[in-house]
Amino acid sequence: MSEQKILATVDGVNITEADVNAYIAKLPQEQQAYAAYPQFREHCLKQLMAFHLYAKMAVEEKMDETEAFKAEMEKARKEILAQTAINSVLKDIVVTEEEMQAFYKENPDHFTEPESAHAKHILVDTEEKATEIMASIEKGEVAFEDAAKEFSSCPSNAQGGDLGEFGRGQMVPEFDQVAFDAEIGKVVGPVKTQFGYHLIKVEGRKETSVMSFENVKDYIQGTLLQQKQNEAYTAKFKELEEKYAK
């Protein structure tokens, strides 16, 4: 598809594939997903045509000579000037490797992944029911996940009782103790909590770990860059305030 292909001409202005692509690129991400659909692209082309057509109408009716238009133009001029000035203040700000390394070493808590557990459970109202299900699982009459789908009252039943990963202290104490102490792969229960009786199967656990510098380098760079830009912006604002504001 040629970017220079002319799709329409309005008042002597050619609208090309490149113009449509540029228009789509400025749309929200969820709308950009439709960029390959001909009907969507046709809609975008119509929007671009409307832009030129209404601009032509405004000129013909001399709307650009009204005070309201001139006021909007002056407002737009100042907004562009302000943004241009801000960009000039921020354009040379960089974050060095040394600064990123220092931030990483000085903020270990930012990059520590706490211990976690991955568990599945079956929740029922009575201990008798939990014991009955436990016996069926131990005899191999039913898989834990199938029993969860059939008997568990927790919404996780749709996923075979899978609760995903969670950190220590996120679950009620009785559940938490089993999740972080029980043998992996073994079904434990019934465990009584305020919600009822659980059968718990621990799928795995992760120890506390520290993320590597390389894995968080981009995050650190973005954080420090934002911080330095904010500082530069604020410092320049104070300087300009003292010079021009009354």
Side-chain angles (χ1 to χ4, degrees):
M1 183 184 294
S2 173
E3 290 252 313
Q4 300 306 317
K5 180 181 177 182
I6 298 173
L7 303 178
T9 301
V10 179
D11 192 31
V13 177
N14 293 329
I15 302 175
T16 66
E17 286 283 1
D19 295 323
V20 173
N21 291 335
Y23 176 85
I24 293 174
K26 294 179 181 179
L27 295 174
Q29 197 69 38
E30 60 270 18
Q31 293 184 37
Q32 292 183 33
Y34 298 100
Y37 291 87
Q39 288 182 324
F40 180 73
R41 297 185 69 84
E42 182 66 21
H43 168 75
C44 294
L45 173 60
K46 295 295 185 184
Q47 292 296 103
L48 284 172
M49 291 175 65
F51 171 80
H52 290 287
L53 289 168
Y54 278 104
K56 177 64 175 177
M57 169 187 165
V59 171
E60 286 186 347
E61 297 187 11
K62 298 185 179 181
M63 295 180 186
D64 55 337
E65 298 178 12
T66 65
E67 292 303 316
F69 176 82
K70 293 175 181 178
E72 286 297 314
M73 284 296 291
E74 179 59 20
K75 179 182 176 182
R77 189 181 76 88
K78 285 187 177 180
E79 288 177 353
I80 294 170
L81 284 171
Q83 192 57 59
T84 301
I86 291 170
N87 291 342
S88 73
V89 172
L90 306 181
K91 67 181 177 66
D92 294 326
I93 296 175
V94 296
V95 177
T96 66
E97 183 79 11
E98 291 73 18
E99 289 172 327
M100 289 188 282
Q101 288 279 5
F103 185 88
Y104 178 75
K105 293 175 182 177
E106 292 166 8
N107 297 276
D109 292 346
H110 284 50
F111 312 110
T112 299
E113 293 183 317
E115 62 177 327
S116 64
H118 176 197
K120 298 176 181 177
H121 81 140
I122 298 170
L123 175 63
V124 293
D125 293 335
T126 67
E127 185 175 7
E128 291 74 19
K129 185 64 175 176
T131 301
E132 179 183 327
I133 298 169
M134 180 75 158
S136 294
I137 293 172
E138 290 179 333
K139 291 176 183 177
E141 296 174 349
V142 63
F144 185 95
E145 293 74 15
D146 292 335
K149 290 178 181 178
E150 183 175 355
F151 301 111
S152 182
S153 60
C154 177
S156 66
N157 56 13
Q159 290 80 44
D162 198 337
L163 295 169
E165 287 192 14
F166 49 88
R168 186 182 287 275
Q170 286 186 256
M171 300 295 181
V172 292
E174 302 88 346
F175 195 107
D176 198 66
Q177 182 175 350
V178 172
F180 286 92
D181 293 342
E183 180 182 337
I184 294 174
K186 181 179 179 180
V187 180
V188 178
V191 176
K192 183 181 180 181
T193 73
Q194 66 196 66
F195 302 107
Y197 293 85
H198 307 256
L199 298 180
I200 303 170
K201 181 182 177 184
V202 179
E203 295 290 318
R205 279 190 290 270
K206 293 180 181 177
E207 299 297 325
T208 300
S209 62
V210 178
M211 291 177 275
S212 70
F213 174 74
E214 287 303 318
N215 284 344
V216 297
K217 183 176 179 179
D218 289 345
Y219 164 79
I220 295 173
Q221 184 179 37
T223 298
L224 292 181
L225 182 62
Q226 184 68 54
Q227 179 181 316
K228 293 176 80 170
Q229 287 178 337
N230 288 342
E231 290 171 355
Y233 177 93
T234 300
K236 178 58 70 172
F237 174 84
K238 290 180 178 178
E239 177 187 326
L240 295 173
E241 185 180 29
E242 292 176 2
K243 185 175 183 178
Y244 298 116
K246 294 181 179 180

